[in-house]
C-alpha cells in the first residue's frame, strides 16, 4: 500500500523524475510537471491537473505509464490506481478510472446561473415555477421534470439554479448534473473498462440526477438502455430526475418509444421563444450585474433587434460594453450599431407582407382574401389599412410593392392608409393598442 502523505509526495517526485527521463523536457513540462498529488486512498493515487483538458490528455496518454511506475516504486503486488481530477473540480476523490470525470455538484456549475439571476417572463414562467418547486421541495414532486426549448433559452441556467439551491439548502443531498454526452461517454468508458457496476452504483446513489440535452442520447441504443434502467431505478427509489432537451419527449427522434413515454410521465415544461419584454428585462438585469450604465435607448434597440436567443443577446451586450471600455467612449446607439453590424444583419428578421396580412386578418377575424379584395365596408377596410400601415413600417417594401400585395392597389392608397392609421392612433386609444399589439406579435 502507499504509505503516508509525505511518502507519497516523495514518491511522486521520483516518479516525475522517471517521467521526465522517459518523455523528454517538452512533454514533461506541458503535461506531467503541472500535476500534483491531492490524495491517496485505498490504493489509489489521486492527482490534480490544472484544467479539464490536461486531465483528459494525461488520463488518455500517460495514466497507464504512471501506474506502472507507481507499482514498481512501491514494489507492490497489489493493483494500484491512478486518477486525475482537474482543479476546477476541487479535490473530489474518485475511486476508479471509469469515474474520472464524474462531476459532483458544484464542480461544473456556472456561478452566474442562479435563480436570482434568472429573469422571469411569460415565455419561461412555467419552466421557472417548476424548477423552483423542484428545488425547494423536500419530497419529489414531479418525476421527471422535463424542460425543453430552443437553443439559448435558459434550460441549462435553470438546471444549474436548481443545483445551486439544493447545494445551499441541503448540502448533504447528492446531486449530479451532467450533459447527456458526458453520460454517454462515461457509460462507454465503463463498458471498456468492464466496470459498469460502479458506474451504475454511482448514478443510482444520487438524490437528484440532472441530464442536460438528452437529445444527444438518441440513436445510441445501449446508452439509452442504460439510461432507461438508471432512470427507472431512481424513480422507484423516489429520487428526483430533471431532464432537458431541445424538443418535447414525444418529438425526440431516434428515441425508443418506451423511453419517450417514460420521460413524459412527470411534468413537461416548455420554454417559449423570447418576447421583447423578456429580452429587455434580461438586458437590464445583465447591465446591472455588470455594473455598467447603458442608455435605455440602446437596451431597447438590442432587445428589439436581437431576437434569436438569449445567449446571442448577452453576447451583443458584452461586445458593446467591451468596446466602450476599450476605446474609452460612452455607449451610444451609433457605436452600438457600428460594433454589432454583422450580428444585426444576421438578426434582421424579415417580416413579410404575407405574414402581416395573415396576422392582422386573424386578429380582426376577417378572411385573408379580404386583404386583396375590393370590399370597402369598414370592418374589412380598417383592418386592411392597419395591415398596410404595418407593411410600411415593418418591411422594407416600397409603397408600389405593398400596393401590389394588396390586390394591386395604387401607392397613393397605401400612403393614405398609413396616414389614416397614424391619425387614428393619435386619437383613439383602442387603435393605438391594437397596432402596438400586432406590431409586437409580428416582431417576436
Ligand atoms: P440553453 O441551455 O437553453 O441552450 P442557457 O441556459 O445556456 O440556454 O442560456 C443561455 C444564456 O442565456 C446563459 O448565459 C443564461 O444565463 C442566459 N439566460 C437564459 N435565460 C435567461 C433568463 N431568463 N434570465 C437571465 N439570463 C438568461
Ligand atoms: Mg444548455
Amino acid at each position: 500500500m502507499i504509505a503516508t502523505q509525505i511518502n507519497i509526495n516523495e514518491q511522486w517526485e521520483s516518479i516525475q523524475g522517471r517521467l521526465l527521463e522517459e518523455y523528454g523536457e517538452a512533454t514533461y513540462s506541458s503535461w506531467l510537471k503541472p500535476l500534483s498529488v491531492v490524495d491517496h486512498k485505498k490504493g489509489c493515487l489521486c492527482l490534480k491537473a490544472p484544467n479539464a483538458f490536461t486531465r483528459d490528455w494525461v488520463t488518455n496518454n500517460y495514466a497507464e505509464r504512471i501506474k506502472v511506475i507507481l507499482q514498481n516504486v512501491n514494489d507492490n503486488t497489489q493493483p494500484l490506481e491512478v486518477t486525475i481530477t482537474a482543479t476546477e473540480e476541487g479535490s473530489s476523490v474518485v475511486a476508479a478510472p471509469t469515474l474520472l470525470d464524474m462531476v459532483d455538484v458544484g464542480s461544473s456549475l456556472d456561478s452566474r446561473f442562479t435563480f436570482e439571476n434568472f429573469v422571469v417572463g411569460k415565455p419561461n414562467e412555467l419552466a421557472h415555477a417548476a424548477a423552483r418547486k423542484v428545488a425547494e421541495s423536500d419530497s419529489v414532486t414531479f418525476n421527471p421534470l422535463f424542460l425543453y426549448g430552443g437553443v439559448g433559452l435558459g434550460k441549462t441556467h435553470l438546471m444549474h439554479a436548481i443545483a445551486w439551491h439544493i447545494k445551499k439548502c441541503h448540502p448533504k443531498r447528492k446531486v449530479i448534473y451532467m450533459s447527456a454526452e458526458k453520460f454517454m461517454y462515461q457509460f462507454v468508458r465503463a463498458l471498456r473498462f468492464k466496470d459498469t457496476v460502479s458506474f451504475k452504483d454511482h448514478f443510482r446513489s444520487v438524490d437528484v440526477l440532472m441530464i442536460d440535452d438528452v437529445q444527444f442520447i438518441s440513436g445510441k441504443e445501449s446508452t439509452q438502455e442504460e439510461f432507461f434502467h438508471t432512470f427507472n431505478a431512481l424513480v422507484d427509489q423516489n429520487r428526483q430526475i430533471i431532464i432537458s432537451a431541445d424538443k418535447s419527449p414525444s418529438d425526440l427522434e431516434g428515441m425508443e418509444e418506451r423511453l419517450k413515454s417514460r420521460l413524459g410521465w412527470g411534468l413537461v415544461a416548455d420554454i417559449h421563444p423570447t418576447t421583447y419584454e423578456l429580452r429587455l428585462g434580461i438586458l437590464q438585469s445583465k447591465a446591472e450585474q455588470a455594473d455598467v450604465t447603458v442608455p435605455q435607448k440602446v437596451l431597447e434597440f438590442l432587445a428589439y433587434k436581437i431576437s434569436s436567443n438569449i445567449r446571442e443577446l448577452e453576447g451583443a451586450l458584452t461586445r458593446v460594453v467591451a468596446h466602450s471600455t476599450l476605446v474609452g467612449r460612452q455607449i451610444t446607439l451609433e457605436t452600438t450599431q457600428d460594433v454589432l453590424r454583422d450580428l444585426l444583419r444576421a438578426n434582421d428578421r424579415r417580416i413579410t407582407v404575407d405574414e402581416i396580412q395573415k396576422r392582422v386578418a386573424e386578429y380582426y377575424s376577417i378572411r385573408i382574401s379580404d386583404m386583396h379584395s375590393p370590399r370597402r365596408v369598414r370592418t374589412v377596410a380598417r383592418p386592411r389599412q392597419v395591415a398596410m400601415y404595418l407593411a410600411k413600417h415593418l418591411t422594407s417594401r416600397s409603397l408600389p410593392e405593398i400596393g401590389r400585395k394588396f390586390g394591386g392597389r395604387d401607392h397613393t392608397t397605401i400612403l393614405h392608409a398609413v396616414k389614416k392609421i397614424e391619425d387614428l392612433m393619435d386619437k383613439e386609444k383602442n387603435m393605438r393598442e391594437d397596432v402596438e399589439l400586432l406590431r409586437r406579435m409580428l416582431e417576436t
Side-chain angles (χ1 to χ4, degrees):
M1 275 295 116
I2 309 173
T4 62
Q5 185 73 36
I6 298 169
N7 255 339
I8 198 71
N9 279 329
E10 274 171 16
Q11 281 188 355
W12 176 237
E13 263 176 43
S14 79
I15 294 170
Q16 279 190 313
R18 285 280 291 278
L19 294 168
L20 173 59
E21 263 174 48
E22 289 184 25
Y23 291 105
E25 181 62 40
T27 300
Y28 175 77
S29 46
S30 305
W31 305 112
L32 302 160
K33 197 171 161 205
L35 302 175
S36 58
V37 176
V38 280
D39 208 351
H40 63 101
K41 260 190 194 141
K42 296 185 208 134
C44 168
L45 170 65
C46 296
L47 299 172
K48 190 167 67 182
N51 54 55
F53 184 74
T54 305
R55 173 201 62 205
D56 291 344
W57 188 260
V58 171
T59 304
N60 290 329
N61 295 284
Y62 309 112
E64 269 313 304
R65 184 64 199 149
I66 296 175
K67 194 169 134 180
V68 171
I69 302 177
L70 177 70
Q71 217 118 326
N72 290 341
V73 171
N74 276 278
D75 194 20
N76 206 311
T77 44
Q78 269 190 305
L80 292 172
E81 289 297 356
V82 174
T83 71
I84 299 143
T85 56
T87 299
E88 307 103 86
E89 295 173 343
S91 56
S92 64
V93 179
V94 282
T98 45
L99 301 178
L100 273 189
D101 300 325
M102 216 50 95
V103 187
D104 276 325
V105 70
S107 48
S108 65
L109 296 176
D110 192 313
S111 62
R112 297 162 309 160
F113 291 3
T114 60
F115 281 124
E116 289 71 37
N117 291 344
F118 192 82
V119 181
V120 186
K122 264 262 169 316
N124 60 26
E125 67 185 355
L126 174 65
H128 171 261
R132 273 236 176 239
K133 178 94 185 151
V134 164
E136 286 164 5
S137 293
D138 286 328
S139 57
V140 171
T141 31
F142 335 99
N143 222 0
L145 168 59
F146 190 102
L147 299 171
Y148 78 93
V151 172
L153 296 183
K155 302 181 295 291
T156 300
H157 188 134
L158 279 178
M159 289 178 118
H160 286 207
I162 296 173
W164 283 123
H165 188 90
I166 296 177
K167 191 176 142 69
K168 193 172 79 196
C169 301
H170 303 278
K172 289 230 173 67
R173 283 207 209 161
K174 189 168 168 199
V175 180
I176 288 184
Y177 163 87
M178 64 166 48
S179 66
E181 273 173 310
K182 201 144 199 176
F183 181 88
M184 242 161 58
Y185 171 73
Q186 293 291 347
F187 178 63
V188 171
R189 262 176 93 121
L191 283 178
R192 203 175 67 205
F193 284 98
K194 299 191 177 42
D195 193 16
T196 48
V197 175
S198 56
F199 175 83
K200 288 183 172 131
D201 286 350
H202 188 84
F203 280 103
R204 292 179 189 179
S205 64
V206 303
D207 296 298
V208 182
L209 174 65
M210 301 194 220
I211 304 283
D212 204 353
D213 288 321
V214 83
Q215 70 272 11
F216 290 124
I217 288 187
S218 62
K220 315 278 191 306
E221 268 175 42
S222 56
T223 319
Q224 275 190 42
E225 185 74 22
E226 181 50 35
F227 180 62
F228 186 69
H229 290 310
T230 307
F231 189 100
N232 283 334
L234 290 174
V235 171
D236 287 346
Q237 292 168 41
N238 215 20
R239 308 290 167 78
Q240 180 69 55
I241 298 175
I242 302 155
I243 306 283
S244 86
D246 63 350
K247 297 187 196 67
S248 76
S250 53
D251 287 338
L252 285 170
E253 288 147 25
M255 189 74 85
E256 253 192 273
E257 278 311 317
R258 58 177 185 155
L259 186 51
K260 276 193 202 177
S261 102
R262 197 73 161 98
L263 290 173
W265 273 15
L267 179 73
V268 177
D270 58 339
I271 306 183
H272 297 276
T274 58
T275 56
Y276 172 79
E277 284 78 12
L278 179 62
R279 293 197 295 275
L280 187 59
I282 288 171
L283 286 171
Q284 278 160 343
S285 139
K286 303 270 170 194
E288 245 169 62
Q289 274 170 48
D291 202 19
V292 287
T293 327
V294 184
Q296 182 68 11
K297 238 180 16 201
V298 170
L299 296 180
E300 282 169 9
F301 174 77
L302 292 175
Y304 171 66
K305 282 289 190 182
I306 299 172
S307 54
S308 47
N309 70 54
I310 301 170
R311 191 171 299 136
E312 203 154 274
L313 192 65
E314 275 187 332
L317 182 64
T318 308
R319 252 166 79 181
V320 171
V321 171
H323 177 267
S324 118
T325 316
L326 284 174
V327 302
R329 249 187 283 141
Q330 299 238 308
I331 300 170
T332 65
L333 205 48
E334 288 67 43
T335 59
T336 301
Q337 274 167 311
D338 209 36
V339 172
L340 299 178
R341 197 172 303 125
D342 53 332
L343 192 65
L344 292 171
R345 212 176 295 131
N347 265 278
D348 234 343
R349 215 170 79 69
R350 304 215 193 300
I351 302 175
T352 62
V353 176
D354 292 337
E355 219 176 314
I356 293 172
Q357 292 177 332
K358 181 167 168 288
R359 281 294 191 141
V360 174
E362 276 166 10
Y363 187 78
Y364 290 102
S365 304
I366 64 171
R367 291 189 300 264
I368 296 188
S369 61
D370 281 332
M371 289 291 166
H372 319 273
S373 81
R375 294 178 62 203
R376 286 171 175 229
V377 282
R378 164 93 50 101
T379 49
V380 171
R382 196 66 88 219
R384 194 192 291 131
Q385 288 179 319
V386 168
M388 292 171 180
Y389 167 91
L390 288 168
K392 174 74 189 81
H393 283 280
L394 301 181
T395 74
S396 52
R397 300 269 175 180
S398 66
L399 292 176
E401 277 175 320
I402 296 173
R404 277 198 288 283
K405 286 274 186 186
F406 284 84
R409 285 177 159 81
D410 191 69
H411 77 273
T412 53
T413 309
I414 309 299
L415 195 59
H416 173 73
V418 172
K419 292 229 172 82
K420 181 78 198 168
I421 298 300
E422 276 169 1
D423 191 36
L424 287 175
M425 282 171 71
D426 275 345
K427 289 194 194 124
E428 295 175 17
K429 185 160 166 277
N430 276 352
M431 179 55 87
R432 200 164 52 239
E433 282 174 0
D434 285 352
V435 173
E436 270 316 303
L437 202 64
L438 277 163
R439 179 202 280 271
R440 249 178 250 160
M441 276 165 29
L442 283 158
E443 277 171 358
T444 51

